[in-house]
């Protein structure tokens, strides 16, 4: 499936869009980490939870569910929020 990578994580992929496989969001993130070692840890913490500054959208709908079932035709967009003050 098509995965859109945010600019702060492109140092891992070298590309704005990449292909990944998996039947759930968690599996897609694992496949991304297989292809681009270290990228998953930037999105998922040690407790297997999404980091607060990361958002996932599947086909335009935001999700917080790593077990969300996916199809090969779905599009995953990863957004990294900016913070500061």
């Amino acid at each position: 499936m098509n995965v859109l990578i945010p600019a702060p994580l492109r140092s891992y992929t070298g590309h704005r869009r990449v292909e990944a496989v998996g039947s759930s969001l968690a599996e897609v993130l694992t496949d991304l980490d297989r292809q681009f070692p270290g990228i998953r840890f930037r999105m998922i913490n040690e407790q297997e939870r999404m980091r607060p500054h990361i958002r996932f959208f599947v086909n335009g709908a935001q999700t917080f569910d790593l077990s969300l079932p996916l199809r090969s035709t779905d599009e995953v967009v990863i957004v990294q929020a900016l913070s500061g003050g």
Side-chain angles (χ1 to χ4, degrees), residues 2 10 26 44 46 50 84:
N2 193 28
R10 287 187 201 144
I44 305 298
E46 297 87 350
M50 296 177 190

Side-chain angles (χ1 to χ4, degrees), residues 26-84:
E27 288 183 12
V28 167
L29 297 178
T30 297
D31 186 50
L32 285 175
D33 199 60
R34 180 190 58 77
Q35 295 179 66
F36 312 105
I39 195 170
R40 185 179 186 278
F41 186 72
R42 297 286 307 268
M43 298 178 279
I44 305 298
N45 68 21
E46 297 87 350
Q47 291 78 37
E48 296 298 314
R49 294 188 181 128
M50 296 177 190
R51 294 195 182 272
H53 60 281
I54 295 290
R55 299 290 182 263
F56 296 98
F57 294 83
V58 176
N59 300 325
Q62 187 172 355
T63 184
F64 297 95
D65 182 5
L66 291 174
S67 65
L68 180 72
L70 298 178
R71 298 179 308 257
S72 62
T73 56
D74 289 338
E75 179 178 65
V76 175
V77 176
I78 302 166
V79 176
Q80 184 167 351
L82 298 176
S83 62

